Amino acid sequence: MRILITGAAGFLGSHLCDHLLADGHHVIGMDNFITGSPDNIAHLANNERFEFYKRDVSNYIFVPGKVDAILHFASPASPNPQSKSGYFNLPIQTMKAGALGTHNCLGIARIQNARFLLASTSEIYGDPEVHPQAETYAGNVDPVGTRAVYDEAKRFAESLTMAYHRFHGVNTSIVRIFNTYGPRMDLEDGRALPNLLKQALLGQPLTVYGDGGQTRSFCFVDDLVDGIVKLLYSDEHLPVNIGNPVEMSILQFAEAINRVTGSKAGIIFEENSRSARDPQRRRPDITRAHELLNWNPNVDLEEGIRRTIPFFKQKLELE
Ligand code: UDP
């Protein structure tokens, strides 16, 4: 297949490029580098099955030749207000990538008769009142809340995707991605794993926001990409959660990072650092992914942290 990936220079987009190239496909990458990095795809420069275009997907996009599948992964995604690349500081671009970017990609999918896969998010569940979150849960989101630029853009993107499927018969799919980590994460994006792993490797105490009792479930990137590709190859149209169902508190997560890295600098609690509407609990119900795609994550947290450390050490110039 010839596969277009928007956000190809991002954390997830670049791993998808690698996986799909390894599966023998031709990959057309697109990115405007507002949050992605050329470093993430530099190793593909001489791959004759990889093409790259620097484009903003929120503007009209033209792709020469046949396209068999489109994965729309372009969007800022970090919720951290301090991060320059987070959606708090790129609010309009975030809404445009979710709304106009999705529209442009769906237009290509329609005209090319291509499979379309939308990168959606657990954030569409908001601060969930149902636990764990199954795809049938409609969410608890505030349209004018501080996270709304991301949540609502992705919710609109899902609605538009289903409209193109139902009205135009486009072969669409939607993945709802839960917290994911691994090599090529932006060390400066302010999320839990980059912040805490960086601190541990630099021998600094880990900053746990609030009392650390809020929970997340962290999926290693290889597991996530495996699930996304299985969804791409399937003929499923309704949303599918992909994420790791092992739930832990952020405090337990920080302790795991200190254990794996051997850091002795401890933990400090930053009572006031939690952003507004930071969800209290989050865990995917992955029954659908298991039943439809025969997918399950395989990499446990400590193994995943060990596999992420070399990339962080290289970026921090620790070796
Ligand atoms: N968090 C933390 N310390 C940090 C960064 C994040 O305790 O240095 C917490 C944050 O408040 C949230 C959780 O870790 O409750 C996960 O945050 P992240 O930014 O990774 O993404 P989210 O799951 O909120 O989208």
Side-chain angles (χ1 to χ4, degrees):
M1 290 198 283
R2 285 188 89 229
I3 303 180
L4 170 65
I5 304 181
T6 74
F11 165 47
L12 298 181
S14 65
H15 283 281
L16 279 162
C17 290
D18 289 347
H19 191 112
L20 292 168
L21 286 165
D23 276 4
H25 302 292
H26 184 104
V27 172
I28 306 154
M30 226 174 240
D31 208 296
N32 66 351
F33 299 126
I34 64 165
T35 61
S37 165
D39 293 351
N40 290 339
I41 48 169
H43 62 290
L44 300 177
N46 296 321
N47 188 321
E48 58 190 25
R49 282 187 287 109
F50 182 71
E51 289 170 62
F52 182 78
Y53 299 90
K54 183 169 183 279
R55 296 278 187 284
D56 180 345
V57 288
S58 301
N59 299 326
Y60 175 81
I61 44 178
F62 171 76
V63 183
K66 178 80 192 105
V67 176
D68 303 295
I70 302 168
L71 291 86
H72 181 35
F73 275 71
S75 178
S78 169
N80 193 297
Q82 276 88 49
S83 162
K84 281 204 280 300
S85 59
Y87 53 74
F88 280 85
N89 291 308
L90 298 167
I92 316 291
Q93 289 98 321
T94 302
M95 296 217 75
K96 286 170 78 174
L100 307 179
T102 303
H103 189 221
N104 288 333
C105 291
L106 282 164
I108 298 174
R110 183 181 175 209
I111 210 156
Q112 293 270 359
N113 212 5
R115 174 92 165 139
F116 173 79
L117 187 145
L118 173 70
S120 186
T121 167
S122 56
E123 290 268 322
I124 67 104
Y125 299 120
D127 192 0
E129 290 159 322
V130 167
H131 195 78
Q133 293 80 53
E135 292 86 345
T136 46
Y137 176 50
N140 172 33
V141 175
D142 174 0
V144 293
T146 45
R147 289 190 176 223
V149 293
Y150 188 62
D151 303 348
E152 296 290 12
K154 290 292 190 184
R155 289 171 70 93
F156 175 86
E158 288 201 11
S159 304
L160 191 65
T161 299
M162 290 310 295
Y164 267 69
H165 172 62
R166 291 180 178 134
F167 191 72
H168 288 312
V170 176
N171 179 8
T172 62
S173 53
I174 298 171
V175 58
R176 291 184 180 155
I177 298 168
F178 283 66
N179 292 67
T180 304
Y181 68 97
R184 301 193 198 141
M185 278 192 105
D186 177 358
L187 269 68
E188 304 306 323
D189 88 358
R191 278 193 265 205
L193 182 116
N195 269 12
L196 303 183
L197 185 55
K198 193 172 59 181
Q199 289 158 351
L201 293 173
L202 294 173
Q204 300 165 354
L206 309 197
T207 54
V208 166
Y209 297 166
D211 64 4
Q214 69 272 32
T215 70
R216 293 294 187 273
S217 313
F218 293 92
C219 188
F220 187 64
V221 63
D222 289 4
D223 280 336
L224 186 98
V225 165
D226 179 47
I228 291 172
V229 172
K230 284 192 162 126
L231 176 59
L232 177 73
Y233 294 163
S234 80
D235 51 17
E236 182 56 34
H237 302 300
L238 290 171
V240 179
N241 288 338
I242 301 278
N244 193 308
V246 178
E247 182 182 359
M248 68 194 72
S249 70
I250 294 300
L251 178 58
Q252 288 171 321
F253 179 63
E255 286 166 349
I257 289 178
N258 275 341
R259 204 164 44 244
V260 176
T261 56
S263 171
K264 300 275 178 277
I267 288 169
I268 47 171
F269 292 90
E270 293 192 355
E271 291 297 332
N272 301 320
S273 291
R274 283 184 74 185
S275 62
R277 298 191 72 84
D278 181 344
Q280 184 59 25
R281 297 187 75 184
R282 184 185 286 158
R283 169 158 66 97
D285 179 332
I286 57 166
T287 311
R288 265 172 67 72
H290 179 65
E291 288 177 1
L292 292 169
L293 311 173
N294 194 24
W295 176 81
N296 276 309
N298 292 317
V299 181
D300 71 31
L301 182 67
E302 296 205 1
E303 171 64 15
I305 295 170
R306 274 192 290 275
R307 291 204 214 169
T308 307
I309 287 173
F311 172 82
F312 273 65
K313 282 193 167 166
Q314 184 204 330
K315 286 280 168 190
L316 294 168
E317 297 181 349
L318 291 176
E319 55 186 28

